[in-house]
Amino acid sequence: MQFQHLVEINDPLNPLIDTLTRDQLWRGLVMRAESPKLFIPWLDECKLLSRSEEVIARTLRYGELLVHDRVNLTPLQQVHYDVPAQKDIPASSLLITIEEPSPGALFVRFAYDTGTSDDDMDAFYNEFRRSAYQEADIDTIRIIRQLAEEGRLNLPV
């Protein structure tokens, strides 16, 4: 199943929403990769196996399930989560891209490839999964906003 959606970050028509800078947004997305338990409460553990400017190798533990993945970082532009096929898990990916069609007008595009088909038999399950992904991504932005309010995203890149 392939699925993507866009989340608006700064809305110039809504003065009640605090504006995020591209740097703050980027730091929040990197924090999601480095400290995923802040964003995924049902995650039991995350071990960073290696870390460079461009790549994070991790092992995630959900109960007895271990998931090995790799996060590729293109600074201030995109975060690409790549999960290779392992045991009962098909290969999958998530590409998170910062888009700025005009100065300060920030959006984040979440593009999923679950490694599964879009056939009719799975239509109900896929629609449920799309909805769950979208809600989790909205929560990601909500948490990034909260971290920015707390001043946790104001460090140098």
Side-chain angles (χ1 to χ4, degrees), residues 2 5 8 44 48 54 57 71 98 109 118 134:
Q2 293 184 340
H5 67 101
E8 185 174 25
D44 294 312
L48 300 184
E54 296 88 26
V71 184
I98 298 173
R109 181 173 306 277
D118 264 334
Q134 193 162 359

Side-chain angles (χ1 to χ4, degrees), residues 68-96:
H68 304 281
D69 71 358
R70 177 184 166 116
V71 184
N72 297 293
L73 306 168
T74 305
L76 297 168
Q77 294 178 33
Q78 63 183 211
V79 180
H80 182 224
Y81 292 83
D82 182 41
V83 180
Q86 48 200 291
K87 295 190 180 180
D88 296 332
I89 302 171
S92 62
S93 68
L94 165 60
L95 181 62
I96 302 173

Side-chain angles (χ1 to χ4, degrees), residues 4 6 22 25 77 97-101 105-109:
Q4 65 176 301
L6 201 59
R22 189 181 194 102
L25 180 57
Q77 294 178 33
T97 306
I98 298 173
E99 299 181 7
E100 191 171 7
L106 293 173
F107 293 82
V108 177
R109 181 173 306 277

Side-chain angles (χ1 to χ4, degrees), residues 6-26 97-110 138 141-142 144-146 148-149 153:
L6 201 59
V7 177
E8 185 174 25
I9 304 303
N10 296 332
D11 182 356
L13 301 177
N14 186 350
L16 300 176
I17 295 178
D18 289 334
T19 299
L20 291 178
T21 67
R22 189 181 194 102
D23 285 343
Q24 287 174 311
L25 180 57
W26 174 251
T97 306
I98 298 173
E99 299 181 7
E100 191 171 7
S102 62
L106 293 173
F107 293 82
V108 177
R109 181 173 306 277
F110 295 86
I138 291 168
I141 300 305
R142 180 187 56 76
I144 289 172
R145 286 188 181 287
Q146 181 180 347
E149 277 181 30
L153 302 179

Side-chain angles (χ1 to χ4, degrees), residues 27-43:
R27 285 185 205 102
L29 293 174
V30 171
M31 191 176 283
R32 182 182 189 268
E34 293 177 334
S35 303
K37 286 186 67 155
L38 290 171
F39 298 84
I40 307 168
W42 56 91
L43 175 65

